[in-house]
Amino acid sequence: MKKTGAQILWECLVREGVADVFGYPGGAILPAYDAMLAYPIRHILTRHEQGATHMADGYARATGKVGVAIATSGPGATNMVTGLATAMMDSSPIVCITGQVGSRLIGSDAFQETDITGVTLPVTKHNYLVTRAADVAPAVREAFYLAKNGRPGPVLIDITKDAQQSQAEFDYDAAAPRPHGRPGPPPQEANFREALALINAAERPVILAGHGILLGNAMAEFKAFAERTQIPVAMTLLGIGAFPASHTLNLGMMGMHGEAWVNTAIQEADLLIAIGMRFDDRVTGTLASYAPNAKKIHVEIDPAEINKNVPVDVGIIGDVRDVLPRLLPAIAPGDRSAWLRKIDELKGGSAVLDIKNLPDEGHLYAAHVINDLWRATSGKALVVTDVGQHQMWEAQYYHHDVPRSLITSGGLGTMGFALPAAIGAKIARPNAEVWVVVGDGGFQMTMSELATIVQEGIDINIAIINNGYLGMVRQWQEFFYERRYAATPLLSPDFVKIADAYGIRGINVRKRDEVIPAVQAARKARETVLIDFAVEQEDTVYPMVPAGAALHQMIRRPSPIAETGEDV
């Protein structure tokens, strides 16, 4: 049956199970938009193409399904680059579809022409320039296969206008993806045996749990592995939620702003078992002194990650969900009680410095806001954060027991991510209670998407952690640039009035005792509510491992006596 390239595009999306797409139309993609009206797919009109990509990303992270974003050529396509790079760094499966000028105009500097496949080559898993209607179906089918298989990631399909308008025979089955890549690695029996020997012999082991556990839906297998071995679990930022925060073996987050006891345990460990993580520099600190006495095992689906940043003693290539069950039967039941008692002692020492245990003395601290949000929502909300201090406080003080309940930009650290990603997450999981936790800086980068919320009738809640600064940058200036606050004091509009202009209810919170009533009011509203939390301006995220320092060289919160004058 003959169809236009535009019709073939939507036929393929329907067959790939796509129910929602996020996009912004323009001249070069108009044939596809015109054809869209005949297909049962919901289109969410965004206010910016970057927002569309973050929405597709949030959709993907909330469900594990492929998110889809659409834009026109030229500036519409280039506006997607930040979203593609964000998805690439965090292995998020999205497919972006862009219109392109007519094939005969390519290379002529035609109106709104950009070589988007050239531009996005470094920030996509793969990309396509489609110039014939007959090539639309094979490109779409392969794009979806690549986005979600192996290590997930973003794929872009650029379709010329004439390819959308012309006709070709449509045969979905005949367009099945071709086999890709090299054959998998040979059986790794020797590696499994070496890993088992190290695990069974270790006295002070720590598991480093990463995003790959969530991407592989291996939460049950991972929990069984941790419990069988009785090895404490340190989480990467993107791994949060892969293992219940309330579990006795869960240590919390590691790395630059990880808990002090976690980083200390890693430095004192005799074995690290890295599972579905990539030894990011924010996790390791300086490599010269990283876990100096530990043997290292790395389980990872991407062979390129093995030995890339940290040399390991044993590398096992494979999906976490397949690897852990192979290890489990041969693991001797562990007795690491002495090691766990040692870690408990470290926790006790850190608790004295925890801001939760300091009197607020009438001040509103961001950590208190996050902790109260966790209490008021019983820890069951799906939280989407932006990037900066609030992101770290969320990771420290909102305790996630549920998988896929924290969505955040970890690798690229994209300001402006939270609001659109939360919209995508809510579209994907309409029954979830979704909260945006965002700074006053990042919110202003994409707050135009408030209009999308209203137009699409979306019910999410927005918590702006407003400290009047680009907070994390200010913190670095405080610590490392002698408090020379260059370009970080931040003027913001009245966010409640901004919300009102969009037809959204807003609440100002200035005191600690106003936090929970405001959160409860937002939860009852059954419509989007924005809360502006005016917090202490020069509060600091502790602990902090300075760039280039070892994990154990953390900057710790001053003692309560030094900070308050009282011994609490």
Side-chain angles (χ1 to χ4, degrees):
M1 180 186 301
K2 279 199 168 184
K3 292 184 178 293
T4 67
Q7 291 171 321
I8 292 171
L9 171 65
W10 294 107
E11 292 281 353
C12 290
L13 293 181
V14 169
R15 286 167 172 77
E16 293 292 340
V18 175
D20 309 281
V21 298
F22 306 90
Y24 202 102
I29 195 70
L30 267 185
Y33 268 86
D34 183 63
M36 177 185 73
L37 297 176
Y39 292 89
I41 292 180
R42 179 184 180 185
H43 179 272
I44 292 88
L45 176 62
T46 69
R47 294 302 179 271
H48 194 282
E49 293 86 352
Q50 180 185 348
T53 55
H54 293 328
M55 289 180 204
D57 194 341
Y59 187 100
R61 298 192 203 210
T63 60
K65 299 178 181 176
V66 176
V68 178
I70 303 178
T72 191
S73 63
T78 57
N79 282 344
M80 289 183 140
V81 173
T82 298
L84 286 163
T86 303
M88 186 71 179
M89 288 288 280
D90 290 349
S91 304
S92 188
I94 67 172
V95 170
C96 291
I97 299 161
T98 50
Q100 182 56 278
V101 301
S103 56
R104 285 189 291 182
L105 293 174
I106 289 178
S108 70
D109 293 334
F111 178 68
Q112 292 194 332
E113 181 196 1
T114 295
D115 175 11
I116 194 61
T117 53
V119 169
T120 60
L121 187 65
V123 294
T124 52
K125 192 174 175 184
H126 197 63
N127 62 24
Y128 303 84
L129 171 60
V130 178
T131 59
R132 302 188 314 146
D135 295 333
V136 172
V140 173
R141 293 207 60 183
E142 196 169 80
F144 272 78
Y145 177 84
L146 291 174
K148 62 189 176 186
N149 283 282
R151 181 175 182 170
V155 181
L156 180 135
I157 310 169
D158 193 34
I159 311 175
T160 61
K161 195 167 184 177
D162 52 318
Q164 298 170 53
Q165 293 168 320
S166 59
Q167 291 191 331
E169 286 292 334
F170 173 58
D171 186 339
Y172 181 77
D173 294 332
R178 296 164 296 173
H180 265 272
R182 291 168 292 186
Q188 304 166 295
E189 293 302 329
N191 292 356
F192 276 85
R193 285 196 299 274
E194 292 174 29
L196 286 166
L198 290 175
I199 293 169
N200 288 333
E203 297 180 353
R204 303 185 309 281
V206 175
I207 296 172
L208 312 180
H211 194 199
I213 298 166
L214 289 163
L215 290 171
N217 287 316
M219 289 73 79
E221 291 80 0
F222 179 76
K223 185 167 180 278
F225 177 80
E227 291 178 342
R228 172 79 172 179
T229 58
Q230 282 297 293
I231 297 177
V233 178
M235 314 298 299
T236 68
L237 174 63
L238 292 183
I240 288 175
F243 189 60
S246 59
H247 198 288
T248 54
L249 291 172
N250 192 326
L251 299 180
M253 187 173 69
M254 67 182 102
M256 178 173 279
H257 295 293
E259 304 292 356
W261 64 81
V262 185
N263 289 339
T264 302
I266 290 170
Q267 290 299 83
E268 295 185 4
D270 63 358
L271 176 66
L272 297 183
I273 309 168
I275 299 178
M277 55 86 76
R278 58 187 176 87
F279 288 110
D280 180 86
D281 61 296
R282 290 293 174 107
V283 161
T284 62
T286 180
L287 294 175
S289 54
Y290 180 62
N293 301 314
K295 297 284 188 181
K296 298 175 182 73
I297 301 168
H298 194 181
V299 178
E300 168 61 41
I301 198 168
D302 185 351
E305 292 293 342
I306 304 285
N307 293 317
K308 186 179 83 175
N309 294 328
V310 173
V312 297
D313 298 276
V314 180
I316 297 179
I317 301 165
D319 192 313
V320 174
R321 193 170 181 175
D322 299 328
V323 170
L324 295 185
R326 287 185 62 183
L327 288 170
L328 202 59
I331 289 175
D335 177 11
R336 270 93 187 195
S337 54
W339 176 228
L340 294 173
R341 281 197 299 273
K342 166 73 173 177
I343 293 173
D344 283 342
E345 292 172 7
L346 296 172
K347 286 182 181 178
S350 294
V352 176
L353 304 181
D354 193 323
I355 193 171
K356 278 194 310 181
N357 297 324
L358 295 178
D360 59 40
E361 297 181 324
H363 300 288
L364 183 60
Y365 290 102
H368 291 155
V369 172
I370 300 294
N371 203 243
D372 284 352
L373 177 62
W374 169 67
R375 291 194 296 126
T377 58
S378 302
K380 295 179 179 176
L382 192 171
V383 182
V384 185
T385 81
D386 219 73
V387 173
Q389 288 182 311
H390 69 275
Q391 180 188 33
M392 296 298 109
W393 280 313
E394 201 284 346
Q396 293 175 343
Y397 292 103
Y398 198 105
H399 307 296
H400 293 269
D401 278 338
V402 181
R404 301 186 186 280
S405 61
L406 171 61
I407 293 175
T408 190
S409 170
L412 197 64
T414 305
M415 290 179 69
F417 172 81
L419 182 64
I423 293 171
K426 183 66 178 181
I427 295 289
R429 290 169 51 184
N431 294 324
E433 178 182 353
V434 176
W435 278 82
V436 179
V437 175
V438 62
D440 42 334
F443 182 68
Q444 292 184 69
M445 287 191 169
T446 53
M447 67 181 182
S448 59
E449 301 300 347
L450 289 173
T452 305
I453 289 173
V454 176
Q455 182 164 344
E456 299 293 335
I458 294 165
D459 171 15
I460 61 178
N461 290 313
I462 303 164
I464 300 176
I465 308 300
N466 183 355
N467 60 10
Y469 279 101
L470 298 176
M472 188 60 88
V473 186
R474 184 210 61 75
Q475 177 171 329
W476 280 59
Q477 291 171 330
E478 176 187 344
F479 283 173
F480 312 120
Y481 294 87
E482 300 175 340
R483 302 175 76 95
R484 291 153 59 88
Y485 294 164
T488 47
L490 184 68
L491 176 67
S492 294
D494 184 326
F495 290 119
V496 170
K497 287 184 178 177
I498 289 285
D500 183 61
Y502 282 100
I504 292 172
R505 181 183 174 190
I507 302 173
N508 281 309
V509 172
R510 301 292 181 263
K511 299 177 181 177
R512 176 81 189 278
D513 60 8
E514 296 171 350
V515 173
I516 286 186
V519 171
Q520 290 173 335
R523 299 186 76 208
K524 290 177 182 175
R526 299 191 181 281
E527 61 182 4
T528 291
V529 174
L530 179 153
I531 308 175
D532 179 12
F533 293 100
V535 300
E536 283 297 294
Q537 290 196 306
E538 295 188 59
D539 196 9
T540 301
V541 181
Y542 291 106
M544 180 178 184
V545 179
L551 282 186
H552 61 275
Q553 295 173 320
M554 294 166 280
I555 301 173
R556 304 290 300 279
R557 179 176 292 280
S559 73
I561 294 176
E563 186 145 307
T564 67
E566 298 178 5
D567 185 354
V568 298

